[in-house]
């Protein structure tokens, strides 16, 4: 096996992807196997260009600071590797004498991992390949949850509670807040926590269910009439009963792509136009994966553990696996790492259970039993005087 | 003088308005003057309706929790009192035997305070009237700064840094982020801190300067071309050279009011349409005043102190003043409370110094010398590996 290791990030970052990087780097240092520790600059782009960052001698305090650094500290990209790219990938692995390759990403990255592993075996390249899971969307299969989700869920839960308190303390408008998730409602579901943390009315719409605008407006009118303020949380990927995105600006960019509109802004607009109720839209957007003050301590510890586990597994000779999180919730939350075959993870998708969507606009207790420990458990407590 | 005290909130909340409430309540309890401690439910609305909350016997631990509670815990409103309302206000003060009235708010509230004070004197009502400053916009005069601003500035600075790290770690789009402030750029200026905390390109546009869209687009094109990612931060109230809001949806609500569009979304749209660069818009919106994880420790302590100071001043017989913050920045930051006449504060506005706007799209060091201590000083430090 080659002497050095290579770590790469794929796709969108999470609040804790750098903690997995820290875990991997520290495990490699602890093992003292003697090789170099490389990272690909901007993910697949860096691998293809042979543009690597040498982390071997980066001071320990800088590596420790990764826990407080959002986004990808080594850079990531959205480039999906094609069959034509793989020979170049193998060439980089060979050139830098890579003995273990770690790809930290979601579905696409696990597919890439799997292909690299297979191809390396076919070509007789002695490299071990491991996937480290990462996605705020929580849509990877064969793992209880994904590193990154707990922090995104904590952000959604607490920020929605804060917006709900604002909306009920100065009840002059319906507040509509948009959370990330084009196809998966896992993160937006966490925003429904606002109903438990405050005394405000909260309605939540997930992308798994097509939205009937008339029903939504009548839900909103009824909830607003209760006079306790109203927060409506929506996923950016909401679609109408016709299957089309609710919000469509009608704008086409220079590449001919239709520009999707703001879902929250659209709903806020129709609340004003059709219900004559004042409304305002908020879109924390990328802060949902970057706001470190809302990162979950449990999520961060697991992301770190996943990075360490991947390196240690590769060092003992494993290849072709993704690190998976096994979790128990009773009597109290505990998790451990395991390995699952990349072949079984690649390109599969874990969807939000439809039975956790209640009346189209609320989230069932079962979801919170599942998700609350991942958010770190410790939710804020507020003073209610009104 | 009447035996009881009354506290009311006016206008939009801040992250620390409840800390001023805590300070006022605790000062009143410490003084043990024996009267009841009332709060107006939803500000002026509660005063007019005689709808008060009795806080006298609320447990100390609930009052302490006000520090962690965003928005107004007693409720606020946007109703501006008219001349016709003042007799009703005096009736409520008389009915509840109010000896000291505290109004926690911005310009409008200080104007109300001033009128209540004058009218009470004219009518021979023995009530002391004190203003407690509050506005994230930082536009009150005769005070170094306003409680609420430091926390909003800290939110803008750190959230922009987090967005900048995301934008530079996965540089697939220009990120445009919108911060609160229709007329005053104080808060949005703090977002320019992202340029100091990261290595990303950051452009910042404040409402004090009319925006030439062509110049803005050429700034953006040039900054994007440097290849380090790009964050553009804008105030929600940006206007074009014609003096009209940059973003105008063309939608009119049921009351005939034109619905203002999202400024960030508009700029993001023109970046895509005219520069053919991918872009996305974020609008943390009300989180700018509600996200407690970003509250400034200095701001919270001063808000608390302002509440205490107002009550103690009224107890020793003062009336007709607003609490003002005096600050020194060398050799290190220190602040103290003083009283300034309401008559001199009401309806005046502190604007952002034009000399702190550089090239129309950057913020001068002088602003950060002023604002950094108010944000709590302790800014995050990140790991840079790329």
């Amino acid at each position: 096996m080659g002497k050095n290791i290579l770590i790469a990030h794929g796709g969108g970052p999470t609040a804790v992807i750098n903690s997995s990087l820290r875990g991997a780097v520290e495990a490699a240092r602890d093992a003292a196997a003697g090789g170099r520790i490389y990272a690909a600059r901007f993910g697949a782009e860096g691998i293809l260009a042979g543009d690597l960052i040498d982390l071997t001698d980066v001071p320990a305090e800088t590596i420790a600071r990764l826990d407080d650094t959002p986004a990808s500290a080594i850079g990531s990209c959205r480039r999906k590797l094609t069959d034509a790219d793989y020979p170049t990938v193998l060439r980089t692995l060979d050139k830098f004498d890579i003995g273990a390759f770690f790809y930290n990403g979601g579905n696409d990255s696990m597919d890439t991992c799997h292909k690299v592993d297979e191809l390396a075996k076919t070509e007789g390249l002695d490299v071990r390949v491991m996937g480290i899971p990462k996605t705020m969307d929580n849509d990877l299969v064969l793992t209880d949850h994904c590193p990154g989700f707990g922090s995104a869920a904590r952000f959604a839960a607490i920020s929605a509670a804060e917006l709900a308190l604002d909306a009920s303390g100065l009840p002059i408008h319906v507040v509509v807040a948009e959370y990330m998730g084009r196809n998966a409602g896992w993160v937006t579901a966490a925003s429904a926590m606002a109903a438990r943390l405050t005394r405000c009315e909260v309605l939540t719409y997930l992308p798994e269910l097509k939205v009937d605008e008339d029903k939504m407006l009548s839900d909103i009118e009824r909830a607003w009439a209760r006079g306790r303020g109203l927060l409506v949380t929506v996923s950016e990927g909401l679609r109408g009963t016709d299957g089309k995105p609710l919000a469509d600006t009608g704008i086409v960019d220079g590449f001919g792509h239709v520009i999707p509109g703001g879902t929250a802004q659209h709903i806020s607009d129709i609340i004003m136009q059709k219900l004559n109720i004042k409304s305002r839209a908020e879109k924390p957007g990328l802060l949902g994966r970057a706001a470190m003050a809302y990162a979950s301590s449990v999520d961060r510890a697991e992301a770190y553990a996943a990075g360490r586990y991947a390196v240690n597994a590769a060092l003992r000779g494993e290849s072709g696996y993704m690190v998976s999180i096994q979790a128990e919730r009773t009597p109290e939350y505990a998790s451990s790492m395991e390995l699952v075959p990349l072949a079984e993870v690649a390109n599969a998708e874990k969807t939000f259970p439809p039975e956790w969507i209640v009346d189209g606009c609320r989230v069932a207790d079962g979801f919170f039993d599942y998700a609350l420990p991942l958010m770190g458990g410790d939710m804020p407590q507020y003073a209610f005087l009104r």
Side-chain angles (χ1 to χ4, degrees), chain A residues 16 101 117 126 163 175 182 279 289 306 330 338 350 376 386:
Chain A
V16 298
F101 170 55
D117 184 54
D126 190 10
L163 290 173
V175 176
R182 293 235 165 264
S279 179
R289 68 190 190 195
T330 50
E338 277 191 12
K350 181 167 73 178
R386 278 179 258 121

Side-chain angles (χ1 to χ4, degrees), chain A residues 178 181-183 206-207 209-213 216 234-251 257-267 270:
Chain A
E178 178 174 327
R182 293 235 165 264
N183 304 308
L206 307 184
L209 226 58
K210 287 177 183 159
V211 171
D212 176 336
E213 278 195 4
M216 175 188 258
V234 301
S235 165
E236 60 181 344
L238 280 195
R239 286 166 185 277
T241 45
D242 58 2
K244 290 186 190 155
L246 274 197
D248 178 359
T249 58
I251 299 172
H257 303 138
V258 173
I259 297 172
T263 302
Q265 188 65 54
H266 168 76
I267 293 168
I270 60 171

Side-chain angles (χ1 to χ4, degrees), chain A residues 158-177 179 194-195 198-203 223-233 271 277-282 382 384 386:
Chain A
I158 298 179
S159 66
E162 292 171 332
L163 290 173
L165 286 167
D166 199 295
S168 58
L170 181 64
I172 56 175
H173 44 215
V174 174
V175 176
V176 186
Y179 288 94
T198 74
R199 297 171 185 179
C200 184
E201 293 287 326
V202 180
L203 299 172
W224 174 255
R226 291 195 193 101
R228 308 194 302 164
L230 174 59
L231 172 70
V232 180
T233 61
I271 289 171
I277 301 170
K278 216 180 149 195
S279 179
R280 63 172 287 156
E282 316 298 14
Y382 302 117
F384 296 101
R386 278 179 258 121

Side-chain angles (χ1 to χ4, degrees), chain A residues 87-379:
Chain A
T88 315
V89 173
L90 291 199
R91 208 144 51 221
T92 296
L93 297 179
D94 192 35
K95 177 181 168 191
F96 287 89
D97 197 18
I98 303 299
F101 170 55
F102 303 91
Y103 208 23
N104 196 175
N107 286 316
D108 283 356
S109 304
M110 293 309 131
D111 183 48
T112 300
C113 253
H114 179 51
K115 285 180 178 151
V116 171
D117 184 54
E118 300 241 292
L119 210 61
K121 279 169 186 156
T122 309
E123 303 280 324
L125 203 69
D126 190 10
V127 58
R128 290 154 195 176
V129 180
M130 299 290 289
I132 304 172
K134 170 255 20 168
T135 160
M136 65 179 280
D137 289 336
N138 203 36
D139 57 356
L140 283 169
V141 297
L142 294 184
T143 184
D144 180 86
H145 56 277
C146 299
F149 168 63
S151 295
R154 184 176 175 84
F155 176 85
I158 298 179
S159 66
E162 292 171 332
L163 290 173
L165 286 167
D166 199 295
S168 58
L170 181 64
I172 56 175
H173 44 215
V174 174
V175 176
V176 186
E178 178 174 327
Y179 288 94
M180 291 184 87
R182 293 235 165 264
N183 304 308
W186 293 97
V187 170
T188 304
S191 69
M193 189 78 199
R196 298 170 156 226
L197 294 173
T198 74
R199 297 171 185 179
C200 184
E201 293 287 326
V202 180
L203 299 172
T204 300
Y205 296 89
L206 307 184
E208 282 79 1
L209 226 58
K210 287 177 183 159
V211 171
D212 176 336
E213 278 195 4
D214 290 337
K215 190 215 171 249
M216 175 188 258
L217 285 171
S218 90
D219 290 345
I220 288 170
E221 194 165 30
R222 208 171 326 113
W224 174 255
R226 291 195 193 101
R228 308 194 302 164
L230 174 59
L231 172 70
V232 180
T233 61
V234 301
S235 165
E236 60 181 344
L238 280 195
R239 286 166 185 277
T241 45
D242 58 2
K244 290 186 190 155
L246 274 197
D248 178 359
T249 58
I251 299 172
V252 176
D253 71 13
F255 307 103
H257 303 138
V258 173
I259 297 172
T263 302
Q265 188 65 54
H266 168 76
I267 293 168
S268 176
D269 289 348
I270 60 171
I271 289 171
M272 290 193 277
Q273 287 178 288
K274 299 193 175 172
L275 299 180
N276 286 349
I277 301 170
K278 216 180 149 195
S279 179
R280 63 172 287 156
E282 316 298 14
K283 186 189 169 201
L286 298 172
L287 283 179
R289 68 190 190 195
M292 298 307 279
Y294 293 87
S296 153
S297 56
V298 167
D299 189 28
R300 183 181 285 151
E302 289 178 342
Y304 177 83
R308 281 198 85 94
Y309 197 85
V311 167
N312 288 328
L315 288 174
R316 67 173 188 262
E318 306 283 4
S319 188
Y321 295 96
M322 181 188 84
V323 176
S324 147
I325 303 177
Q326 307 299 309
E328 289 181 13
R329 286 174 173 74
T330 50
E332 56 189 32
Y333 182 79
S335 67
S336 59
M337 305 291 146
E338 277 191 12
L339 296 179
V340 294
L342 282 167
E344 294 176 27
V345 178
N347 296 317
E349 196 182 18
K350 181 167 73 178
T351 52
F352 191 85
E355 64 271 21
W356 282 350
I357 306 178
V358 180
D359 295 338
C361 58
R362 290 177 216 282
V363 175
D365 289 346
F367 169 74
F368 293 104
D369 295 341
Y370 166 81
L372 204 48
L374 315 179
M375 300 184 208
D378 53 323
M379 286 287 125

